[in-house]
Amino acid sequence: KAGVTQTPRYLIKTRGQQVTLSCSPISGHRSVSWYQQTPGQGLQFLFEYFSETQRNKGNFPGRFSGRQFSNSRSEMNVSTLELGDSALYLCASSLVLGAEAFFGQGTRLTVV
Amino acid sequence: DQQVKQNSPSLSVQEGRISILNCDYTNSMFDYFLWYKKYPAEGPTFLISISSIKDKNEDGRFTVFLNKSAKHLSLHIVPSQPGDSAVYFCAASGVYNQGGKLIFGQGTELSVKP
């Protein structure tokens, strides 16, 4: 069974640009969550989707947004990139809300 | 306000001995706890979980203990192996009021020496 797949693995963007990250969950999993990992703040929850609906949102500015498609695949978008957005962005999928979450390899975003 | 805390940033253990990683939480609404192992530049790997209705859960070399009155959980790895060297994160969720949102501790870097 394939795991959670995130694309791209690495990305370099310039301040002010926008970026879209993609996540394909484990087959059959309907819940997708996104996390940001930085050295200073650790792993922080961004948002969670279930059945194409955002169920939960973390404490991040509106520049961070996401969506989920009918096949459970998810994308997150960050607009007007800032240097502080440089981080490892992790996607996790679970069968249903609240079940064990399985993480992808992450997308390393560097903003210059 | 850090709701999940791992107070030891690092831990060093000899191969074959027990590793004990600790985690404290403050939110009494948490009812599900998980441990993840993480290597640099990779996603966390799920290890073991425990529901708040239990006080112990075992899976092979890994055992998680939950003390609700103390709001404390611990992960025991017996016997420790060099391949266990990684950063370990505990995470908590309040399934009934927060869905699948996980609150992570800051992590403990475990080093198992041969």
Side-chain angles (χ1 to χ4, degrees), chain A residues 9 33 35 37 40-43 45 48 56-57 88 90 97-105 108, chain B residues 32 34 36 38 41-46 49 89 93 95 97-106:
Chain A
R9 288 293 310 276
S33 302
Y35 293 82
Q37 186 184 24
Q41 298 296 320
L43 276 152
F45 173 80
E48 175 181 38
N56 220 328
K57 191 176 191 310
L88 182 66
L90 293 159
L97 285 174
E100 286 88 356
F102 295 88
F103 284 81
Q105 297 273 61
R108 168 68 65 184
Chain B
Y32 195 60
L34 307 90
Y36 287 87
K38 189 178 183 302
E42 291 187 11
T45 301
F46 170 74
S49 62
F89 290 93
S93 71
V95 176
N97 66 341
Q98 296 190 77
K101 173 183 176 181
L102 294 175
I103 307 295
F104 283 88
Q106 292 294 91

Side-chain angles (χ1 to χ4, degrees), chain B residues 46-49 57-64 76 78:
Chain B
F46 170 74
L47 281 174
I48 192 168
S49 62
N57 189 25
E58 216 170 331
D59 185 1
R61 296 187 298 116
F62 302 93
T63 303
V64 56
H76 292 210
V78 184

